[in-house]
Amino acid sequence: MKNPKGKVYLVGAGPGDCDLMTVRSHKLLSQAEVLIYDALIDIPQLELIPVTCRKIEVGKRGGKPSTQQQEINRLLVEQCKLGKQVVRLKSGDPFIFGRSSSEIQALITAGCEFEVVPGISSVLAAPLLAGIPLTDPVMSRCFAVMSAHEPDALEWEALVRIETLVILMGGRNLSEIIWQLQKHGRSPETPIAIIRDCSRPEQKIWIGTLFNIVQQTAGQSLSPCAIVIGEVVRLREYLIGSENTNMSVKPVISNNSQPLAGKTILVTRAASQSGQFSDRLQQLGARAIEMPALVIGAPSTWEPLDRAIAQLSSFHWLILTSHNAVDWFFERLQAKGKDARSLSGIKIAVVGKKTAESLRSHSLQPDFIPPNFVADSLVENFPDNLQNCKILFPRVESGGREVLVKEFTAKGAQVIEVPAYQSCCPETIAPIALAALQNKAVNIITFASSKTVHNFCNLIEKKPELSLSEDWLENVCIASIGPETSKSCLKLLGKVDVEATEYTLDGLTEAIVQWATKYQTL
């Protein structure tokens, strides 16, 4: 039987941030069987590939042992002939200083099918992310791009006449570049910007002139960097504000001022609930990876809730301890032909701000919110005499806290518990979360309930292929939304690093930011 037909995709990975890769690139990475990648490719980009994909690093690093181009060519041909879908992931764009010609020639000679997929080069991305336009009607009607890996090979006499220069691979030869430019007539006052690690959380920018830039960057590692030379550098002050422009010794930090910059955070909430939380973390600079540890759905039977809805007028209080309880209760209320008017004369207690917001979305105000956003605080601070009080308590079908019902009952209340929804453990782990755990790329894991902790651990145990080392949690921050969740973290994971003071997602976010700020100053 013949091997399936293989194909090689020469894919541009862009400048570093996987969000700046093309949709086509993301799709190819998710289907790759073999990945042959450059040294500058980041772990977040590698997380996009399937767990079963074979990864081979062949990148070239200045001053370090590098894979010979002939060997890279051989690997591409070999894997293609084995029938594999091969992604050759190259930094930036494959056709800009990407050494693609040699690889394509080898593939053509061997009769291998291939496709070239463009990427955003740091030639364009680095100046843009630093707030420097490469062209301007007055200051720059054209720009030239070059590699300064071998500065003696460049035609400096011609280059100095071009208004804007963009130089890659020039960090190690900065002094030679500055000397050549001034020798051939460029003014020492010519502005220059050096952008290192563009688009990555650790991106840094130095702004200076040909006269002082070498002194400014003395002792700094400048690779990988893009160098922009010309009057357009001065436009940065007008485009992003003078407070972000620094012409002195200290480097300007472009996108690293966000408190969670550089942090990869695993979010374990249900897929239907994680979006806003993930968005908030990303706004603070984090990379949020969603690993749903809950699946929310209908209970196994509606009969108990339906009976309670039919007898609503007999209840004194309705207790809702989560926005899931609110949403599913009102969905069923509507399904039975009723609406909020059916709750006339019934007081409503809720736990937490988000639950209160969910209730208000149904045009109802809660009558009572306990001061501490946990269910236990309900009984302790309940505003009514509980003797002979009839309470309707729609809740999760299994795994909820029994102590609440026991304490209400002990004080004389009649509590009618009815399942309004069910939360189950997912069957699988999202591939990107799986890869992040395998690659030890996760800095923080968030838990918003005890059940997410239990389900997370169950998912990990179900995946023996994860092959996590015994110390995989050593450098991972475990962040809990409150005391009960923390108890589960301690029991199952052996530690809690962060616990929210206010037991809400906003409180959890604030606690994570405080931890990250403290961690960065250590």
Side-chain angles (χ1 to χ4, degrees), residues 378-441:
L378 267 173
V379 182
E380 195 177 315
N381 298 279
F382 206 72
D384 276 4
N385 185 353
L386 289 170
Q387 194 68 37
N388 300 319
C389 182
K390 189 175 181 181
I391 298 172
L392 176 59
F393 183 22
R395 53 171 283 181
V396 65
E397 185 167 356
S398 61
R401 301 204 58 233
E402 305 297 334
V403 66
L404 185 68
V405 177
K406 289 180 180 179
E407 290 180 357
F408 269 122
T409 303
K411 294 199 173 190
Q414 180 188 1
V415 182
I416 308 300
E417 292 180 88
V418 292
Y421 64 98
Q422 180 59 294
S423 61
C424 305
C425 184
E427 293 296 322
T428 59
I429 299 176
I432 190 169
L434 194 65
L437 289 168
Q438 285 181 318
N439 293 327
K440 292 189 175 182

Side-chain angles (χ1 to χ4, degrees), residues 433-453:
L434 194 65
L437 289 168
Q438 285 181 318
N439 293 327
K440 292 189 175 182
V442 176
N443 304 113
I444 303 167
I445 304 176
T446 65
F447 294 105
S449 69
S450 291
K451 200 157 191 178
T452 57
V453 184

Side-chain angles (χ1 to χ4, degrees), residues 212-234:
N212 63 22
I213 194 65
V214 173
Q215 180 184 358
Q216 286 192 38
T217 57
Q220 301 283 341
S221 172
L222 300 181
S223 296
C225 75
I227 301 170
V228 183
I229 299 164
E231 293 300 318
V232 288
V233 173
R234 299 190 194 279

Side-chain angles (χ1 to χ4, degrees), residues 120-161:
I120 301 174
S121 171
S122 59
V123 167
L124 302 176
L128 183 147
L129 294 172
I132 301 170
L134 292 181
T135 62
D136 178 79
V138 176
M139 294 182 176
S140 178
R141 289 158 292 184
C142 67
F143 64 92
V145 178
M146 68 216 72
S147 161
H149 185 65
E150 298 179 359
D152 290 341
L154 296 173
E155 295 290 339
W156 293 103
E157 189 172 350
L159 290 173
V160 294
R161 295 197 294 269

Side-chain angles (χ1 to χ4, degrees), residues 323-366:
H323 74 86
N324 282 323
V326 174
D327 292 345
W328 286 90
F329 173 79
F330 279 94
E331 183 176 316
R332 193 60 185 172
L333 191 69
Q334 186 175 21
K336 302 304 291 183
K338 299 178 182 293
D339 56 28
R341 289 172 295 182
S342 303
L343 296 170
S344 175
I346 302 174
K347 294 180 180 180
I348 304 174
V350 301
V351 175
K353 289 181 179 179
K354 293 297 181 183
T355 311
E357 288 174 10
S358 295
L359 183 65
R360 292 184 185 106
S361 71
H362 295 278
S363 302
L364 290 170
Q365 290 287 343

Side-chain angles (χ1 to χ4, degrees), residues 202-497:
E202 60 270 24
Q203 173 175 305
K204 289 187 178 181
I205 307 167
W206 289 266
I207 304 291
T209 64
L210 297 186
F211 175 76
N212 63 22
I213 194 65
V214 173
Q215 180 184 358
Q216 286 192 38
T217 57
Q220 301 283 341
S221 172
L222 300 181
S223 296
C225 75
I227 301 170
V228 183
I229 299 164
E231 293 300 318
V232 288
V233 173
R234 299 190 194 279
L235 292 175
R236 183 173 189 265
E237 179 177 351
Y238 298 98
L239 296 178
I240 66 173
S242 59
E243 68 276 8
N244 289 326
T245 301
N246 191 339
M247 302 293 283
S248 62
V249 177
K250 287 188 178 180
V252 177
I253 300 176
S254 169
N255 62 353
N256 205 25
S257 58
Q258 295 167 299
L260 298 181
K263 298 289 184 290
T264 296
I265 301 179
L266 207 61
V267 176
T268 60
R269 301 198 80 209
S272 60
Q273 302 168 352
S274 59
Q276 289 185 347
F277 185 41
S278 295
D279 289 346
R280 177 60 180 146
L281 294 174
Q282 289 176 152
Q283 288 168 5
L284 293 168
R287 181 165 186 265
I289 297 176
E290 295 182 3
M291 178 183 162
L294 283 178
V295 177
I296 307 298
S300 58
T301 176
W302 289 111
E303 187 178 344
L305 181 55
D306 288 348
R307 281 200 306 268
I309 288 173
Q311 303 169 11
L312 277 177
S313 60
S314 68
F315 291 96
H316 302 105
W317 280 88
L318 169 66
I319 291 180
L320 300 165
T321 58
S322 71
H323 74 86
N324 282 323
V326 174
D327 292 345
W328 286 90
F329 173 79
F330 279 94
E331 183 176 316
R332 193 60 185 172
L333 191 69
Q334 186 175 21
K336 302 304 291 183
K338 299 178 182 293
D339 56 28
R341 289 172 295 182
S342 303
L343 296 170
S344 175
I346 302 174
K347 294 180 180 180
I348 304 174
V350 301
V351 175
K353 289 181 179 179
K354 293 297 181 183
T355 311
E357 288 174 10
S358 295
L359 183 65
R360 292 184 185 106
S361 71
H362 295 278
S363 302
L364 290 170
Q365 290 287 343
D367 295 283
F368 174 58
I369 306 174
N372 296 320
F373 301 145
V374 290
D376 291 358
S377 183
L378 267 173
V379 182
E380 195 177 315
N381 298 279
F382 206 72
D384 276 4
N385 185 353
L386 289 170
Q387 194 68 37
N388 300 319
C389 182
K390 189 175 181 181
I391 298 172
L392 176 59
F393 183 22
R395 53 171 283 181
V396 65
E397 185 167 356
S398 61
R401 301 204 58 233
E402 305 297 334
V403 66
L404 185 68
V405 177
K406 289 180 180 179
E407 290 180 357
F408 269 122
T409 303
K411 294 199 173 190
Q414 180 188 1
V415 182
I416 308 300
E417 292 180 88
V418 292
Y421 64 98
Q422 180 59 294
S423 61
C424 305
C425 184
E427 293 296 322
T428 59
I429 299 176
I432 190 169
L434 194 65
L437 289 168
Q438 285 181 318
N439 293 327
K440 292 189 175 182
V442 176
N443 304 113
I444 303 167
I445 304 176
T446 65
F447 294 105
S449 69
S450 291
K451 200 157 191 178
T452 57
V453 184
H454 285 269
N455 289 352
F456 174 84
C457 293
N458 287 337
L459 284 168
I460 296 297
E461 290 170 5
K462 286 180 184 177
K463 289 287 180 181
E465 67 270 25
L466 267 173
S467 301
L468 297 178
S469 60
E470 291 185 3
D471 64 344
W472 72 277
L473 270 175
E474 185 176 338
N475 295 314
V476 177
C477 169
I478 300 299
S480 160
I481 200 169
E484 294 303 320
T485 303
S486 294
K487 289 178 185 177
S488 297
C489 290
L490 285 169
K491 179 180 177 181
L492 298 173
L493 297 171
K495 68 171 185 172
V496 178
D497 301 286

